[in-house]
Amino acid sequence: MQTLGYIVLANLLATVVGISLAAALSFRWLSGMVDKMVCIAAGLLLAVAFGHLLPESFHSDADATAIGWTLLAGILGFFILEKASLIHHTHHHEGDAHHHHHGHDAHEARRGGLPILVGDAFHNFADGVVIAAAFLTDVHLGIAATLAVIAHEIPHEVGDFMILLNAGYSKRRAFAFNLLSGASAVLGGVVGYFLLDHVQGALPYALALAAASFIYIALSDLLPEMMRRTSLRRTLPEVGLVLLGVALAVAMTEFLHGH
């Protein structure tokens, strides 16, 4: 039961911290900060996926080949989901953190906030399950996963705030609605806890899917944004920031296991 408490607390914290920081950045238009955070988040997500989540799932009794296939299925699954949502409405990553300084076109503003909030609710629910799977394995892993979720939530939410404000939402409403869609993370955590607690053998596979989601977000969403900027002056700091994200994950592990 204590684990469930951790999961709920971690998800509440991730949601409130992520959205509050995103709001602070969005409402003050600190686009340079967002770009830096995208780089750090990419490094952090990849480090937590490859350095924590995958090793944990391989350490279990589960078949290594099955874990490998689960990872692949996860990555392809996220790709297909994203493609499907792209077909329905131009996906919100189009207007994500990265593009807001170039100004939105009318289409972006017209698209309205609802699809974004619904899409986010699903995304946050999945993050909740990720955090649950991590805490069920190990408290340290849970903390690492929570940090990784916060890291990618912030630039993601900044993009959403931009779109909601463009769609004519007031700052207060944009904040409230984002918080509401973020609350589904807590639900995801609780559902994940009871589901994975009952089906013990599923945990390594859940960790592999969690890793797949982190790898997919980092490689499809965060890194390509950096690839577009080709000047050396910007590239070196970006590589440095990605490595800083990795270093943060390592430092955090050392710190947590030291205590």
Side-chain angles (χ1 to χ4, degrees):
M1 230 37 207
Q2 187 188 13
T3 309
L4 182 60
Y6 280 142
I7 291 168
V8 170
L9 193 66
N11 275 305
L12 275 172
L13 203 68
T15 301
V16 174
V17 169
I19 291 173
S20 302
L21 282 171
L25 288 171
S26 309
F27 299 161
R28 298 204 168 73
W29 299 92
L30 300 176
S31 56
M33 269 293 283
V34 179
D35 288 339
K36 290 187 179 68
M37 292 189 67
V38 166
C39 303
I40 295 172
L44 190 70
L45 284 175
L46 290 171
V48 171
F50 287 111
H52 297 275
L53 294 168
L54 280 177
E56 279 295 344
S57 62
F58 283 126
H59 275 318
S60 65
D61 302 330
D63 177 53
T65 312
I67 294 288
W69 283 108
T70 305
L71 184 68
L72 176 64
I75 290 172
L76 290 177
F78 291 121
F79 171 67
I80 292 162
L81 277 174
E82 191 155 30
K83 273 293 185 207
S85 71
L86 270 168
I87 295 161
H88 274 303
H89 52 259
T90 315
H91 193 252
H92 58 248
H93 290 291
E94 299 284 318
D96 221 326
H98 337 306
H99 300 279
H100 59 253
H101 15 281
H102 314 309
H104 284 287
D105 50 18
H107 163 77
E108 196 58 75
R110 243 198 346 265
R111 233 191 55 232
L114 198 65
I116 302 244
L117 293 168
V118 172
D120 254 14
F122 278 110
H123 174 105
N124 294 329
F125 184 87
D127 281 339
V129 178
V130 166
I131 288 175
F135 271 109
L136 280 167
T137 308
D138 180 66
V139 175
H140 298 135
L141 189 65
I143 295 169
T146 306
L147 199 77
V149 164
I150 293 175
H152 78 260
E153 259 324 290
I154 296 168
H156 177 92
E157 297 285 353
V158 168
D160 291 351
F161 272 125
M162 294 302 171
I163 295 169
L164 293 175
L165 294 177
N166 269 329
Y169 284 67
S170 67
K171 287 179 181 179
R172 191 174 290 166
R173 270 188 72 196
F175 189 80
F177 277 118
N178 245 339
L179 210 53
L180 198 66
S181 85
S184 64
V186 179
L187 189 67
V190 174
V191 169
Y193 172 81
F194 285 110
L195 214 67
L196 293 167
D197 209 31
H198 281 303
V199 194
Q200 277 296 308
L203 194 57
Y205 299 102
L207 291 176
L209 285 174
S213 111
F214 282 2
I215 294 163
Y216 181 77
I217 289 166
L219 297 184
S220 79
D221 202 30
L222 302 179
L223 288 177
E225 184 44 38
M226 295 179 249
M227 293 301 180
R228 266 194 226 107
R229 297 196 282 267
T230 45
S231 70
L232 197 62
R233 193 174 52 82
R234 308 221 24 198
T235 300
L236 288 174
E238 284 178 343
V239 173
L241 287 168
V242 173
L243 294 175
L244 174 65
V246 174
L248 270 176
V250 174
M252 181 177 59
T253 317
E254 295 302 312
F255 174 78
L256 289 173
H257 285 291
H259 283 254

